[in-house]
Amino acid sequence: MSKHFFQNATLRLVLLKTYRAYARSMVWRHGPKVFINSIPKAGTHLATAIIEEVPGLMQSRLHVEMWDIHKGPEAVAPIEVFQPDIEQFRRMLATVRPGQIATAHLPWHPGLYEVAKEMGFKTIFVTRKPEDVERSTLYYIKGLRRHFMHRRLMEDYQTDEERLAAVRQGIPPRFPGDAALVGTNELRERFMGWAQNDEVNGSLVLNFEDIVGSRGGGSHAARKTAIGAILRHLDLEPSETLVNQIDSRSADKKSFTFRSGKIGSGAQSA
């Protein structure tokens, strides 16, 4: 996708809605339904790039954020007041066909998992080192002018060190109803139930460091092992040929979360 696509919110929305309508029309599809959840900037795109190369799978382009299913009066509010509307979540997942992938950034809540499980989704949770989530978040906001916190982060904080600390600790609202940024420390606490409950709820937990591969500073062997675990989670045989095929086809896909970035470099995280 071009940089213009990501910066132009209207164009992006039109194209996503068109694709979503196309995906919903595919009522004849077969295969597992996959629900990928993660902390923002922890590797959702990277995991999706791998999983959509599994034969028979495609993106639905459904992505669920907290405030898409919040049943309180707030459009955006502190994460501690988040109240998931379980039935709204169910209605959104109902638009995903067999053989399609949905993604989300949703804190741990047993009701959300139960709905996904009841509807036959294979749940995957992606996690990442906290310091890399912080850096990726910083450079994502810096590089995306349409982000609701871009101007405030750039104008209220003078250096990348100050901005990184703000990303870590959170940016509070200046007045009632003002936009705020949840700190990555608090996000991790709210999301990690998906990983801590993996033996109970049957989710597969993927570490960003294991799926990024040698080009992203990880291990090629660990990446191929993770691809094998994904295939087994989807009840597929992880043959060497299939693992190599998925590894090769997904390796060149770019994502905003790919690089961790360096403080002061001015680079945009991918």
Side-chain angles (χ1 to χ4, degrees), residues 36-258:
I36 305 172
N37 190 38
S38 80
I39 299 170
K41 314 317 299 173
T44 311
H45 293 294
L46 179 59
T48 303
I50 294 171
I51 295 167
E52 67 182 354
E53 292 300 333
V54 174
L57 290 183
M58 64 172 285
Q59 285 204 47
S60 70
R61 292 292 180 185
L62 173 67
H63 179 76
V64 187
E65 296 281 359
M66 285 187 293
W67 308 113
D68 295 333
I69 59 170
H70 178 53
K71 63 182 180 182
E74 305 89 355
V76 177
I79 192 172
E80 60 265 22
V81 307
F82 172 58
Q83 304 174 58
D85 185 331
I86 302 300
E87 292 309 309
Q88 172 65 8
F89 183 56
R90 187 191 305 276
R91 288 190 291 271
M92 295 180 77
L93 288 189
T95 66
V96 180
R97 306 305 183 195
Q100 293 184 349
I101 303 163
T103 61
H105 295 320
L106 294 174
W108 167 252
H109 188 282
L112 298 177
Y113 171 75
E114 290 301 326
V115 166
K117 180 179 179 180
E118 174 190 320
M119 299 182 73
F121 281 84
K122 297 286 188 177
T123 302
I124 295 173
F125 179 69
V126 188
T127 185
R128 189 180 187 183
K129 292 179 180 178
E131 59 269 25
D132 288 340
V133 171
E134 293 163 8
R135 292 189 180 95
S136 187
T137 301
L138 169 62
Y139 290 116
Y140 178 73
I141 298 174
K142 283 183 62 178
L144 194 63
R145 292 188 302 275
R146 65 178 173 82
H147 193 282
F148 72 95
M149 196 55 68
H150 171 82
R151 176 174 293 183
R152 188 170 173 198
L153 185 70
M154 299 305 295
E155 294 179 356
D156 289 5
Y157 304 91
Q158 302 307 307
T159 67
D160 277 354
E161 285 78 7
E162 291 178 359
R163 294 171 185 136
L164 186 68
V167 165
R168 181 184 306 119
Q169 298 165 9
I171 301 177
R174 294 162 294 188
F175 48 83
D178 187 28
L181 184 72
V182 180
T184 53
N185 283 343
E186 185 171 4
L187 278 176
R188 185 173 179 83
E189 291 180 9
R190 300 280 179 173
F191 275 73
M192 287 307 292
W194 291 93
Q196 295 165 357
N197 289 275
D198 61 325
E199 292 184 1
V200 176
N201 67 34
S203 298
L204 173 66
V205 179
L206 294 177
N207 295 313
F208 177 94
E209 294 76 19
D210 291 337
I211 60 177
V212 72
S214 56
R215 292 181 60 189
S219 160
H220 192 203
R223 175 178 162 89
K224 293 174 76 171
T225 298
I227 293 172
I230 291 169
L231 290 169
R232 284 189 291 272
H233 186 60
L234 300 180
D235 299 323
L236 298 172
E237 178 62 34
S239 68
E240 183 177 359
T241 299
L242 182 55
V243 169
N244 288 337
Q245 181 184 76
I246 294 170
D247 175 38
S248 176
R249 289 181 176 178
S250 61
D252 293 329
K253 294 181 178 180
K254 294 183 179 180
S255 160
F256 277 122
T257 55
F258 193 80

